[in-house]
Amino acid sequence: MTETLPFINQATGEQFGQVTMATQDDVSRAHKEMRLNFEVWRRKPAAERVRILRLLQEAIIDATDEITAVINQDTGKSRQDALIEVFMVVDRLHQYYKNAERWLRRRRVPPGLYVFRRFYTEPHPHGVVAVIGPWNYPFDLCMSPVLSALLAGNTVILKPSEVTAATGALIEKLFKRIPELVPYVRILHGDGKVGAAVVESNPDLVFLTGSTATGKKIAAETAKTLTPFLSELGGKDPMLVLEHADVKAAAKWGVWGAFVNAGQTCMGLERVYAVEAVYDEFVAAVLEETKKLKMGYSTELNNQNHMGPLTFERQINIIRDHLGDAIAKGANVLLGGRIDGLFMEPTIVVDVDHSMKLMREETFGPILPIMKVRDETEAIWLANDSHYGLSACVWSNDMRQAKRAAHRLQVGSVNINDAISHYPVSLLPFGGVKQSGNARTHGKEEVLQFTHLRSYAVGRSPLPFDIATQMRYPGRYRLGTTILHFAFGATPRQRVQPVVEALDSLNAADVKPNLARVAAVLGGLMAVTAVLFGLLRLKTED
Ligand code: NAD
């Protein structure tokens, strides 16, 4: 029996379509096709893959209004917020168009001792890559890893989130508009069970954007075959407001960073540490800014609401649980807190501490808890007291202080005097540490993680006069130590030590008449070797 996934408009509750869920047979068939077609796609030069992906870039830009309309219905976010997803995808494609050939080319490696051979590395695609996507930015976070994996020469199976199935279906439609891409991508719709089946179908690499809980399940599954697994997982991003902060700006953009996309952004602000010198002023400014926010759903292009509904019903339970736990432990709600259907008021909570789930677990909703701290050191300590490590932001107009604090934070990205704005920069690597995942998205780092480096050593059969060949024969110990000293000596004394030792031994044997000649020959030989090594060690095309 075929199962379907309904498309539900989260703001109105209306169903606006459906898509058929993939079966186990669909998963197996997709895998076989992608494995077969990988051999064709991988052979296309990078420039040709870029050309084909450029056709998709054109198709996406042509379909902008169609895409934002579907994302708007599927998630409840505004058309303008949906447009940001389109922006991020085409900006990245544009960067690939300009840089990918260079990122993916072969690189020479200095030969070390093997001076008569050539050495280079070449990035090779893994094969069939499985991409599993989330619902909070369903277009960008499915499209971007798929495009990077394709660009690197892999074929791809994409499993979009079941929560935003309409966007998954739209992505499938867009790929079908480019016949040259169709053989190399398969989109399988379905829930976590379908995701698990895709992971179990033995792809060559799995890329997940999702929760840390799902990341742990996939890590356990891929560990069975040691299949590479890249993950972009949850976060509990801290904001540090230090004594030299522009408090008004921190409040304005902190509120934006916490409530954009109704707080459902992986690097959205989830907790604030404000030093006592600015705490009162900051909280007052945050309340003022939050009161300006308008909530509502609109399909219009000129929507004036700041926040739409939550996209996923499951979130309501998590939010209620975290808020209830905090209140029970002494937190105070200064503003908001009401939930009506899937709409939740932007909520400001104070008197919080690290015994509360609200300060330690990912809430993923429109709540901003603010904690008063003594000073910078306490703020940093608390920011790092987390098993997450995605992003953070530091507010201070004393740049030395801001950079010092940024340097000590255990996260993948730090933003000084702004929030979230590091993410849309297409060439700035983004990703987490700790339980926020191990992948890096954006630019060269994103594309190259979909490859493995193959190393090549190239030349004719070993030459008899090659030092490296000579070193293979027994009785070359002295030759070895001489080269060791000359090539790698850390001081001038170490480099000339073999000459000194040779002269000493000649002295001991009382062969002084030959001393000058032998020393000259040895010295000359060593100097030539040293120059040769020096030149070759410096020579690199990187
Ligand atoms: P989720 O983990 O519930 O689901 C993500 C995807 O995994 C879905 O497609 C789901 O069907 C699939 N899935 C579920 N169980 C699976 C299994 N056992 N095997 C294979 N696939 C399975 O996450 P979500 O609720 O869709 O997304 C929100 C989460 O994603 C938040 O934690 C958020 O922080 C995180 N996120 C992280 C980033 C980042 O870049 N670090 C970006 C966006 C979202």
Side-chain angles (χ1 to χ4, degrees):
M1 198 184 75
T2 55
E3 283 184 90
T4 54
L5 280 176
F7 305 162
I8 306 287
N9 183 322
Q10 303 298 346
T12 61
E14 279 164 26
Q15 180 169 345
F16 61 97
Q18 62 180 35
V19 69
T20 306
M21 289 231 290
T23 60
Q24 183 63 52
D25 281 351
D26 294 332
V27 175
S28 307
R29 194 173 328 110
H31 185 89
K32 274 190 205 129
E33 284 174 4
M34 290 305 94
R35 183 146 313 286
L36 213 64
N37 297 351
F38 168 61
E39 294 306 327
V40 182
W41 182 244
R42 72 174 306 180
R43 285 196 171 83
K44 292 188 191 292
E48 174 64 357
R49 296 198 293 260
V50 168
R51 184 191 68 77
I52 296 173
L53 289 178
R54 190 91 164 139
L55 299 176
L56 186 70
Q57 182 180 352
E58 196 181 336
I60 292 172
I61 292 174
D62 281 346
T64 300
D65 288 346
E66 179 188 356
I67 298 169
T68 61
V70 172
I71 299 174
N72 165 262
Q73 273 189 300
D74 214 13
T75 63
K77 67 175 81 175
S78 70
R79 300 285 296 272
Q80 188 179 327
D81 284 353
L83 182 64
I84 291 168
E85 295 201 46
V86 180
F87 246 95
M88 288 193 287
V89 173
V90 295
D91 184 352
R92 227 164 303 168
L93 274 167
H94 193 68
Q95 297 305 333
Y96 296 165
Y97 161 69
K98 292 202 296 194
N99 298 301
E101 265 189 274
R102 188 164 47 82
W103 296 338
L104 288 166
R105 78 175 176 208
R106 171 188 294 187
R107 288 191 193 284
R108 283 284 287 274
V109 171
L113 264 190
Y114 291 82
V115 291
F116 295 104
R117 293 173 73 76
R118 279 191 312 120
F119 302 89
Y120 56 88
T121 60
E122 219 171 47
H124 277 253
H126 282 273
V128 181
V129 167
V131 172
I132 300 175
W135 48 262
N136 61 331
Y137 289 83
F139 187 69
D140 173 37
L141 296 176
C142 284
M143 271 298 202
S144 296
V146 168
L147 300 178
S148 305
L150 281 170
L151 183 68
N154 304 279
T155 48
V156 180
I157 296 174
L158 166 68
K159 207 295 285 172
S161 171
E162 64 276 29
V163 182
T164 45
T167 309
L170 171 77
I171 290 173
E172 187 172 19
K173 219 156 98 182
L174 287 170
F175 273 108
K176 285 190 174 151
R177 288 181 194 165
I178 312 299
E180 287 170 90
L181 263 178
V182 169
Y184 311 115
V185 192
R186 286 291 172 277
I187 288 112
L188 298 176
H189 305 283
D191 55 14
K193 288 197 299 290
V194 176
V198 170
V199 173
E200 284 159 23
S201 72
N202 214 9
D204 299 292
L205 183 146
V206 179
F207 185 100
L208 167 76
T209 309
S211 62
T212 298
T214 303
K216 287 179 184 176
K217 285 185 204 158
I218 296 180
E221 187 57 38
T222 49
K224 291 180 189 165
T225 47
L226 295 183
T227 301
F229 172 45
L230 298 170
S231 57
E232 286 285 358
L233 306 176
K236 188 77 194 167
D237 286 6
M239 169 179 186
L240 281 64
V241 186
L242 305 178
E243 52 268 47
H244 301 291
D246 176 342
V247 173
K248 289 244 170 322
K252 182 177 169 70
W253 298 113
V255 163
W256 176 75
F259 300 128
V260 67
N261 204 31
Q264 305 164 116
T265 303
C266 55
M267 68 291 194
L269 301 180
E270 290 241 345
R271 50 193 172 124
V272 180
Y273 304 100
V275 297
E276 51 194 17
V278 296
Y279 177 84
D280 290 338
E281 188 190 348
F282 176 72
V283 171
V286 162
L287 291 175
E288 198 182 314
E289 288 297 333
T290 309
K291 282 177 192 158
K292 293 179 192 164
L293 300 183
K294 280 203 282 178
M295 234 186 355
Y297 173 70
S298 163
T299 57
E300 300 301 318
L301 296 181
N302 70 345
N303 155 71
Q304 296 298 315
N305 299 309
H306 298 90
M307 270 174 58
L310 297 168
T311 301
F312 189 18
E313 214 175 341
R314 186 187 70 182
Q315 283 308 116
I316 299 274
N317 299 330
I318 297 172
I319 292 167
R320 281 195 208 282
D321 177 38
H322 289 192
L323 197 54
D325 174 71
I327 293 168
K329 289 174 179 162
N332 282 304
V333 177
L334 287 190
L335 191 71
R338 271 193 310 149
I339 300 174
D340 179 11
L342 283 181
F343 286 89
M344 176 172 182
E345 288 176 343
T347 302
I348 306 296
V349 185
V350 294
D351 302 324
V352 288
D353 62 46
H354 274 215
S355 70
M356 300 169 184
K357 291 181 189 173
L358 192 57
M359 294 300 279
R360 302 191 65 84
E361 294 175 20
E362 187 181 47
T363 311
F364 223 54
I367 305 188
L368 188 62
I370 307 173
M371 184 168 173
K372 189 195 284 191
V373 292
R374 222 176 21 254
D375 54 17
E376 176 190 331
T377 305
E378 191 182 11
I380 293 168
W381 194 90
L382 287 167
N384 288 338
D385 180 29
S386 172
H387 58 262
Y388 291 112
L390 196 55
S391 301
C393 66
V394 178
W395 288 80
S396 173
N397 280 344
D398 174 349
M399 282 300 161
R400 281 182 61 188
Q401 178 187 44
K403 286 181 189 167
R404 182 175 65 221
H407 194 73
R408 292 174 60 195
L409 291 169
Q410 297 160 0
V411 290
S413 315
V414 188
N415 201 328
I416 292 177
N417 293 324
D418 202 358
I420 299 183
S421 60
H422 54 289
Y423 184 81
V425 180
S426 271
L427 295 181
L428 186 69
F430 173 86
V433 297
K434 300 188 193 172
Q435 292 187 28
S436 289
N438 60 358
R440 284 295 175 274
T441 63
H442 297 56
K444 180 180 171 184
E445 286 73 14
E446 173 163 13
V447 173
L448 291 184
Q449 77 188 336
F450 288 108
T451 65
H452 57 84
L453 265 193
R454 183 175 298 163
S455 299
Y456 294 87
V458 182
R460 299 198 179 276
S461 346
L463 297 163
F465 50 82
D466 187 338
I467 295 172
T469 314
Q470 283 299 317
M471 289 287 295
R472 296 179 186 184
Y473 296 111
R476 299 288 192 273
Y477 187 84
R478 278 290 162 222
L479 175 66
T481 54
T482 305
I483 292 168
L484 182 82
H485 279 79
F486 255 110
F488 308 115
T491 60
R493 183 195 61 76
Q494 244 181 8
R495 284 179 182 248
V496 299
Q497 197 170 324
V499 180
V500 174
E501 280 171 10
L503 290 176
D504 280 354
S505 71
L506 288 172
N507 268 330
D510 201 18
V511 283
K512 271 184 188 158
N514 289 325
L515 201 68
R517 195 161 48 89
V518 173
V521 171
L522 257 179
L525 250 175
M526 289 172 170
V528 169
T529 318
V531 169
L532 211 58
F533 269 99
L535 284 178
L536 287 164
R537 281 162 62 77
L538 283 175
K539 193 178 161 207
T540 165
E541 289 180 4
D542 205 349

